[in-house]
Amino acid sequence: MLELPNHVTIKEVGPRDGLQNEHKEVPTEDKIAWINQLSEAGYKYIEFSSFVHPKWIPQLKDAKEVAASIERKPGVTYAALVPNMKGLEGALETNVDEVSVFMSASDTHNKKNINKTIEETYPVLREVVTEAKQAGKTVRGYLSTVFGCPYEGNIPVEQVIKVSRKLLDMGIDELSLGDTIGIANPKQVDAVLAQLKKQLSFDEIAMHFHNTRGMALANVLVSLEHGITTFDGSLGGLGGCPYAKGASGNLATDDLVHMLHEMKIETGLDERKLEEAAIFVQSKLDKALPSHHMQVLNKGGGVSNG
Amino acid sequence: MLELPNHVTIKEVGPRDGLQNEHKEVPTEDKIAWINQLSEAGYKYIEFSSFVHPKWIPQLKDAKEVAASIERKPGVTYAALVPNMKGLEGALETNVDEVSVFMSASDTHNKKNINKTIEETYPVLREVVTEAKQAGKTVRGYLSTVFGCPYEGNIPVEQVIKVSRKLLDMGIDELSLGDTIGIANPKQVDAVLAQLKKQLSFDEIAMHFHNTRGMALANVLVSLEHGITTFDGSLGGLGGCPYAKGASGNLATDDLVHMLHEMKIETGLDERKLEEAAIFVQSKLDKALPSHHMQVLNKGGGVSNG
């Protein structure tokens, strides 16, 4: 029999990881309204934007305005991504609760993404983490290409553990392990988590799956069996796949929540309010959201259709 | 660690269960060409059509012509669905290897579908099975709404076992258990299979999942852990969801094969040939096929993109 936890925490990355990969820019006031809807749906964690140069991600150029205007629901952690000290400075000018930093477990992917080797990235992130902690913020880390890199292929588990250890030792409070290109399969997740478990505390680990080949929920299931209880999701599957525009990318929070609730695992989230929030953000984009839930809904079904 | 089988058999139902749910009728010669491509891709089982009155399923009105013209690859079982004696008579006029019959585990769904109660259905199917066996054919049974009914909701496991036992005792060689409306969740599959295992031999059981809410591959994973090694698939996710047109329905064979191969489970299928066959049938329809594989492919990726 499956051994599953009773409660799972879902961290919503749609306003950041979702919107940064959408072609259409959502107006600031709509972002604010949407994030407020997400707070009302029961999330305890919302990554609301990224403090990154607008040249790179124009979709999120209003991070400061968003931070200033969203309603701060008690008990909710409002987080923002910061790529470097400049980003952190911007974030610290707002009342952000947590900042997140990112790097890759693959040297090539890291170089292509942030123009630094893994070794060169550590001191940059260490400074950001140290400053953030001194400012009283908690820090989250995203580690990408954990299950494979588009340039290097397989990434040895030892490498994942080494980089993870380094990041946690810097003072990062939680590390989100990303299947950046959506290639992880359940057997691999099982094998990787079995190794990681020996070296890391799963209290500090979240999983960030992509559904590019449809395996995300199967990978979640295996992770649950290993005792992982924190997962990232992007409402409606917002953001798509950066490597094949229009295909599934980020695991859709609504599909994840649905599976968990059907398995009697609590998330604290209200499926109907999630649906309303997904419909709202979809109406601000020029496309149908790709989650299975939204596919059914857009074709005439809905939450109650199971 | 996950305990998984080394080999899985995939039964392709796309030419029947897929095409019967597509709005557009595929010309007979294209069906024949497509089924021949499927044989070449390595399937050992193809359900090529249904002998049902064209008033009900006009898309499959050419079952006889298809049966007469497809190349019969040695080692492949070519099967057709027959709803009743009239259908069986049509099928027996061709050189079909196997026939399949169907009924529902839910009385209400059964009545809505074939206008008979479960009890009234048994003698009809018994006659079909007996005649088919006397004609030297093997028989497959489809049991629908195993994990829930759109009218009755939950279906007790005892009911599923009772109907399954009845069908197997008639002489049915394999029973395919269907999650007709795509609501099964992994915990439920785990619980149901744990019960079924006590009463039925899994050598006689196949699973037929729908991906309506994205859980099909997670459900496959749990089934594999229970020792199920036969699954139905519809290439490209052909057929969609009868309850929400345009949403995902039948589990896509290409997504299933991809997950299995990534987990080093053999299927005997050639992913590249499957892709060619999916591209071919997609070109004969007026829509993009919904499998994750085809989504990636249609957006510029392909098999090698993982």
Side-chain angles (χ1 to χ4, degrees):
Chain A
M1 293 288 284
L2 286 174
E3 293 278 353
L4 303 172
N6 297 318
H7 185 90
V8 155
T9 299
I10 298 180
K11 301 202 164 178
E12 178 59 45
V13 299
R16 193 275 303 174
D17 196 15
L19 291 185
Q20 78 173 34
N21 288 307
E22 292 295 339
H23 175 71
K24 188 167 175 183
E25 289 182 31
V26 174
T28 307
E29 62 186 45
D30 292 330
K31 283 182 193 166
I32 294 163
W34 183 47
I35 293 164
N36 290 342
Q37 288 174 19
L38 296 175
S39 302
E40 286 303 314
Y43 286 104
K44 293 296 175 209
Y45 190 102
I46 301 170
E47 194 178 57
F48 68 88
S49 194
S50 175
F51 288 86
V52 60
H53 198 287
K55 186 173 77 179
W56 302 116
I57 306 182
Q59 296 95 327
L60 301 182
K61 61 176 182 271
D62 53 5
K64 197 167 281 186
E65 293 83 343
V66 170
S69 301
I70 49 176
E71 285 164 32
R72 303 290 293 247
K73 196 172 182 219
V76 180
T77 298
Y78 293 88
L81 194 76
V82 297
N84 48 32
M85 280 304 291
K86 180 117 183 82
L88 179 65
E89 284 161 22
L92 292 182
E93 288 167 18
T94 73
N95 59 347
V96 64
D97 297 312
E98 176 165 309
V99 295
S100 37
V101 297
F102 62 93
M103 68 178 293
S104 181
S106 145
D107 224 27
T108 315
H109 186 262
N110 204 59
K111 268 185 231 161
K112 297 240 183 200
N113 211 19
I114 54 182
N115 205 28
K116 286 186 178 62
T117 63
I118 286 177
E119 286 299 327
E120 291 164 353
T121 306
Y122 291 141
V124 178
L125 296 193
R126 187 174 291 111
E127 190 184 2
V128 174
V129 174
T130 306
E131 284 287 321
K133 300 290 259 190
Q134 281 176 358
K137 310 300 183 188
T138 50
V139 184
R140 185 173 218 230
Y142 287 103
L143 186 59
S144 53
T145 68
V146 165
F147 297 95
C149 163
Y151 312 109
E152 292 185 20
N154 187 48
I155 302 293
V157 185
E158 297 70 31
Q159 168 75 359
V160 172
I161 291 172
K162 193 178 140 195
V163 182
S164 298
R165 197 63 274 160
K166 206 86 167 165
L167 290 169
L168 291 165
D169 288 347
M170 280 179 200
I172 279 176
D173 299 279
E174 181 177 79
L175 195 57
S176 172
L177 303 180
D179 176 23
T180 311
I181 52 174
I183 59 165
N185 70 70
K187 191 171 174 178
Q188 182 189 15
V189 172
D190 183 46
V192 168
L193 290 182
Q195 285 299 313
L196 288 181
K197 203 184 278 183
K198 295 176 191 165
Q199 310 269 349
L200 307 171
S201 161
F202 278 6
D203 292 347
E204 298 173 312
I205 299 295
M207 301 304 290
H208 182 111
F209 289 116
H210 279 210
N211 200 32
T212 319
R213 296 306 296 264
M215 294 186 278
L217 290 178
N219 291 334
V220 166
L221 187 69
V222 172
S223 306
L224 290 169
E225 290 192 80
H226 274 282
I228 296 280
T229 56
T230 304
F231 295 89
D232 297 352
S234 180
L235 190 61
L238 196 73
C241 172
Y243 295 89
K245 292 285 174 206
S248 308
N250 276 305
L251 170 57
T253 313
D254 33 346
D255 292 341
L256 172 59
V257 169
H258 183 74
M259 180 175 87
L260 294 172
H261 286 186
E262 291 292 303
M263 299 198 300
K264 309 292 178 232
I265 296 173
E266 292 171 10
T267 66
L269 288 159
D270 180 321
E271 284 189 69
R272 201 158 289 279
K273 287 182 180 170
L274 280 185
E275 181 171 295
E276 287 166 13
I279 291 169
F280 177 82
V281 72
Q282 179 176 256
S283 74
K284 306 302 174 189
L285 296 166
D286 48 7
K287 65 173 220 187
L289 287 179
S291 70
H292 287 276
H293 162 240
M294 288 301 284
Q295 283 181 41
V296 171
L297 188 75
N298 288 330
K299 306 297 178 177
V303 161
S304 60
N305 292 41
Chain B
M1 293 287 283
L2 286 174
E3 293 278 352
L4 304 173
N6 297 319
H7 185 90
V8 154
T9 299
I10 298 179
K11 301 202 164 178
E12 178 59 45
V13 299
R16 193 276 302 174
D17 196 13
L19 291 184
Q20 78 173 34
N21 288 307
E22 292 295 339
H23 175 70
K24 188 167 174 183
E25 290 182 32
V26 174
T28 307
E29 62 186 44
D30 292 330
K31 283 182 192 166
I32 294 163
W34 183 47
I35 293 164
N36 290 341
Q37 288 174 18
L38 296 175
S39 302
E40 286 303 315
Y43 286 104
K44 294 296 174 207
Y45 190 101
I46 301 170
E47 194 178 58
F48 67 88
S49 194
S50 175
F51 287 86
V52 60
H53 198 288
K55 186 173 79 179
W56 302 116
I57 307 181
Q59 295 95 326
L60 302 182
K61 61 176 182 270
D62 53 5
K64 197 166 284 187
E65 293 84 343
V66 170
S69 301
I70 48 176
E71 285 163 33
R72 302 291 292 247
K73 196 171 182 218
V76 180
T77 298
Y78 294 88
L81 194 76
V82 297
N84 48 33
M85 279 304 290
K86 181 117 184 80
L88 179 64
E89 284 161 21
L92 292 182
E93 288 167 18
T94 73
N95 59 348
V96 64
D97 297 312
E98 177 165 307
V99 296
S100 37
V101 298
F102 62 93
M103 68 178 293
S104 180
S106 145
D107 224 27
T108 315
H109 186 262
N110 204 58
K111 268 186 232 163
K112 297 239 183 199
N113 211 18
I114 55 182
N115 205 28
K116 285 185 178 61
T117 63
I118 285 177
E119 286 299 327
E120 290 164 354
T121 305
Y122 291 140
V124 178
L125 295 192
R126 187 174 290 110
E127 191 184 1
V128 174
V129 174
T130 306
E131 284 288 321
K133 300 290 258 189
Q134 281 176 359
K137 310 300 182 188
T138 51
V139 183
R140 185 174 217 229
Y142 288 102
L143 186 60
S144 54
T145 68
V146 165
F147 297 94
C149 163
Y151 312 107
E152 293 185 20
N154 187 49
I155 302 293
V157 186
E158 298 70 31
Q159 169 75 359
V160 172
I161 292 171
K162 194 178 141 194
V163 181
S164 298
R165 196 64 272 160
K166 208 83 166 167
L167 290 170
L168 291 165
D169 288 347
M170 280 179 200
I172 279 175
D173 300 279
E174 181 177 78
L175 195 57
S176 172
L177 303 179
D179 176 24
T180 310
I181 52 174
I183 58 165
N185 69 70
K187 191 172 175 178
Q188 182 188 16
V189 172
D190 183 47
V192 168
L193 290 182
Q195 285 300 312
L196 288 181
K197 203 185 278 182
K198 296 176 190 164
Q199 310 269 349
L200 307 171
S201 161
F202 278 6
D203 291 345
E204 299 172 312
I205 299 295
M207 301 304 289
H208 182 111
F209 289 116
H210 279 211
N211 200 33
T212 318
R213 295 305 295 265
M215 295 186 277
L217 290 179
N219 291 333
V220 166
L221 187 69
V222 172
S223 305
L224 291 169
E225 289 192 80
H226 274 283
I228 297 279
T229 55
T230 304
F231 295 89
D232 296 352
S234 180
L235 190 61
L238 196 73
C241 172
Y243 295 89
K245 292 286 173 205
S248 308
N250 276 304
L251 170 57
T253 312
D254 33 346
D255 292 340
L256 171 59
V257 169
H258 183 74
M259 180 176 86
L260 295 172
H261 286 187
E262 291 291 302
M263 299 198 299
K264 310 289 179 238
I265 297 173
E266 293 169 10
T267 66
L269 288 159
D270 180 323
E271 284 189 70
R272 201 157 290 279
K273 287 183 180 170
L274 280 185
E275 181 171 295
E276 287 166 14
I279 291 169
F280 177 83
V281 73
Q282 180 176 256
S283 74
K284 305 302 173 188
L285 297 165
D286 47 8
K287 66 172 219 187
L289 288 179
S291 70
H292 287 276
H293 163 241
M294 288 301 285
Q295 282 180 41
V296 171
L297 188 75
N298 287 331
K299 305 295 178 178
V303 160
S304 59
N305 291 41

